[in-house]
Amino acid sequence: MSFVLDSSCLIYLGKLKVLDKLKHIEGNKYIPEEVYNEVIKNGYSRGEPEVKYIENLIKTNELTIKNPKERLENYGKLSLADVDVISLAKEIKAVAIIDDNEASLLAEFNEVDYHGSIYLLILLMNKKVISKHDALKYIDEMISLGFYLSIEVYKELREKLNNI
């Protein structure tokens, strides 16, 4: 199974230096050029510390830049990056990793399999690449960096992880 990663996934997992661990999950990891522009080009101009780390993963082919041949119609206020993530995932039958609710609706409407960034942490945990303790720590760190999870979802997630 391949994955197409959105900007928020790259940014948050990049800040945590977790993206390099994705090599332990089978399948290719793609980012559209619009995502690259949002994260790398804009990140350099803002002085974001994760940019060099992410760019190195692209140079070593752990992340591959790939554009969709055709862009889906955007029915909302999504960025081109979000639309391209879903378009590419649909085209190559990959899983879109998106954290935006409106992007999730576009994915559902177009019958694209999707999950959020935390899904990747759970996959890493299930593959024993990271521990349950680390997964919970990463989720807490993401939230402290500004990642949004409702209190209800956060409680449910922690409860499920604690029961594994």
Side-chain angles (χ1 to χ4, degrees):
M1 166 184 345
S2 293
F3 300 90
V4 183
L5 310 177
D6 76 351
S7 298
S8 67
C9 175
L10 285 181
I11 292 167
Y12 286 106
L13 297 184
K15 286 182 185 298
L16 299 176
K17 304 285 192 258
V18 175
L19 288 169
D20 61 302
K21 296 176 184 337
L22 297 181
K23 65 185 169 201
H24 298 286
I25 298 173
E26 202 171 309
N28 295 316
K29 287 72 177 184
Y30 296 106
I31 60 168
E33 192 169 348
E34 288 289 339
V35 169
Y36 176 87
N37 291 339
E38 274 188 9
V39 175
I40 303 300
K41 288 186 177 178
N42 294 342
Y44 268 124
S45 67
R46 290 189 308 267
E48 299 292 346
E50 70 276 4
V51 172
K52 288 181 183 177
Y53 167 74
I54 296 168
E55 197 166 46
N56 188 53
L57 294 173
I58 294 166
K59 287 178 184 170
T60 59
N61 296 317
E62 290 180 52
L63 298 172
T64 304
I65 297 172
K66 183 176 179 73
N67 288 320
K69 292 179 183 155
E70 197 171 308
R71 185 176 282 149
L72 294 169
E73 188 173 339
N74 184 355
Y75 294 100
K77 299 173 187 165
L78 295 174
S79 69
L80 289 178
D82 287 332
V83 174
D84 282 357
V85 166
I86 298 162
S87 300
L88 181 59
K90 181 176 177 82
E91 183 179 300
I92 64 173
K93 296 177 180 26
V95 176
I97 302 297
I98 50 179
D99 293 314
D100 180 272
N101 287 336
E102 199 165 321
S104 299
L105 294 173
L106 183 63
E108 279 182 32
F109 181 77
N110 285 281
E111 299 177 347
V112 173
D113 191 15
Y114 70 92
H115 292 283
S117 297
I118 291 173
Y119 174 78
L120 294 177
L121 293 175
I122 292 169
L123 284 179
L124 289 170
M125 187 186 79
N126 288 341
K127 291 236 176 231
K128 301 195 184 325
V129 175
I130 63 173
S131 67
K132 177 173 44 173
H133 175 266
D134 286 341
L136 290 166
K137 181 183 77 165
Y138 287 139
I139 292 165
D140 287 344
E141 287 178 28
M142 287 172 64
I143 291 169
S144 73
L145 290 167
F147 187 85
Y148 176 75
L149 272 183
S150 71
I151 292 171
E152 295 81 22
V153 171
Y154 178 74
K155 283 181 179 177
E156 185 179 314
L157 178 62
R158 284 194 69 90
E159 192 174 303
K160 282 183 181 179
L161 288 177
N162 282 324
N163 289 331
I164 293 178

